């Protein structure tokens, strides 16, 4: 990803633009996610916070911070894994499609991609025709990354 400070500054400006505040603890949690290539759980973030700041942070505080960051479109929650990842589009100024996540089942690296809106619409129609309503168009796709594939060969 880009320079962490640049990303955090952009996130701070984004929050300010609609009256929200990116506090020091929020910045630290976001920074940990930005620097990680893997999705992290709240408890992994608690451990990182302690390592980096020498300060303990309660789990409820981390969950509130993650809820805030998700509401600000700065992080995404991977629902199947119950982990979080920084949005790969934090510094972009344009609107993006629905985020989708490729998750390596070997090394747990996560890559955010976008899928064409027409593909999502087709998926919604298929779901509707099956007698269901799509609650979230976010897909989390189990994959194996090229590095893991190459090292397994």
């Amino acid at each position: 990803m880009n320079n962490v400070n640049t990303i955090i500054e952009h996130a701070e400006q984004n929050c300010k633009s609609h009256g929200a505040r990116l506090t020091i603890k929020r910045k630290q949690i976001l920074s940990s996610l930005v620097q990680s290539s893997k999705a992290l759980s709240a408890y992994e973030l608690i451990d990182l916070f302690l390592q980096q700041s020498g300060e303990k942070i309660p789990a409820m505080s981390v969950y509130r911070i993650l809820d805030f960051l998700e509401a600000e479109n700065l992080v995404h929650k991977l629902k199947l894994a119950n982990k979080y990842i920084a949005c790969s589009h934090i510094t972009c100024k344009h609107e993006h499609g629905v985020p989708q996540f490729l998750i390596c089942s070997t090394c747990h690296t996560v890559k955010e991609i976008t899928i064409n809106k027409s593909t999502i619409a087709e998926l919604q129609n298929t779901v509707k025709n099956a007698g269901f309503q799509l609650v979230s168009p976010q897909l989390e796709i189990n994959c194996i990354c090229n590095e893991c594939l190459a090292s397994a060969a």
Side-chain angles (χ1 to χ4, degrees):
M1 276 201 165
N2 293 354
N3 176 330
V4 176
N5 291 334
T6 303
I7 293 170
I8 298 301
E9 285 172 21
H10 189 280
E12 194 166 23
Q13 292 306 314
N14 182 56
C15 289
K16 278 182 185 176
S17 73
H18 36 307
R21 207 170 135 243
L22 198 60
T23 63
I24 291 171
K25 289 181 181 177
R26 288 172 177 171
K27 285 180 193 177
Q28 287 175 290
I29 296 295
L30 180 57
S31 180
S32 292
L33 287 167
V34 165
Q35 294 174 69
S36 178
S37 64
K38 298 176 172 118
L40 300 172
S41 71
Y43 289 94
E44 289 168 322
L45 287 163
I46 289 168
D47 292 343
L48 277 172
F49 192 89
L50 179 61
Q51 288 172 17
Q52 294 168 353
S53 70
E55 184 183 337
K56 288 185 179 183
I57 186 169
M60 283 308 300
S61 294
V62 172
Y63 281 113
R64 277 193 296 274
I65 289 169
L66 290 167
D67 286 346
F68 170 85
L69 295 173
E70 190 176 13
E72 291 294 318
N73 298 312
L74 300 172
V75 303
H76 300 289
K77 181 178 184 180
L78 301 179
K79 292 171 181 42
L80 296 178
N82 198 26
K83 293 187 177 193
Y84 297 82
I85 188 160
C87 178
S88 62
H89 303 289
I90 289 177
T91 57
C92 295
K93 300 227 186 281
H94 59 278
E95 190 176 319
H96 292 273
V98 178
Q100 310 302 319
F101 302 95
L102 308 178
I103 305 168
C104 180
S105 56
T106 303
C107 70
H108 307 289
T109 296
V110 179
K111 173 87 174 165
E112 180 180 344
I113 63 169
T114 53
I115 292 179
N116 191 311
K117 290 181 183 185
S118 65
T119 304
I120 296 298
E122 187 176 327
L123 177 63
Q124 285 177 313
N125 285 336
T126 303
V127 168
K128 189 175 182 178
N129 291 337
F132 288 81
Q133 294 300 313
L134 189 62
V135 176
S136 169
Q138 176 176 305
L139 298 175
E140 298 170 23
I141 305 170
N142 219 357
C143 304
I144 186 164
C145 71
N146 289 339
E147 287 181 32
C148 290
L149 191 60
S151 66

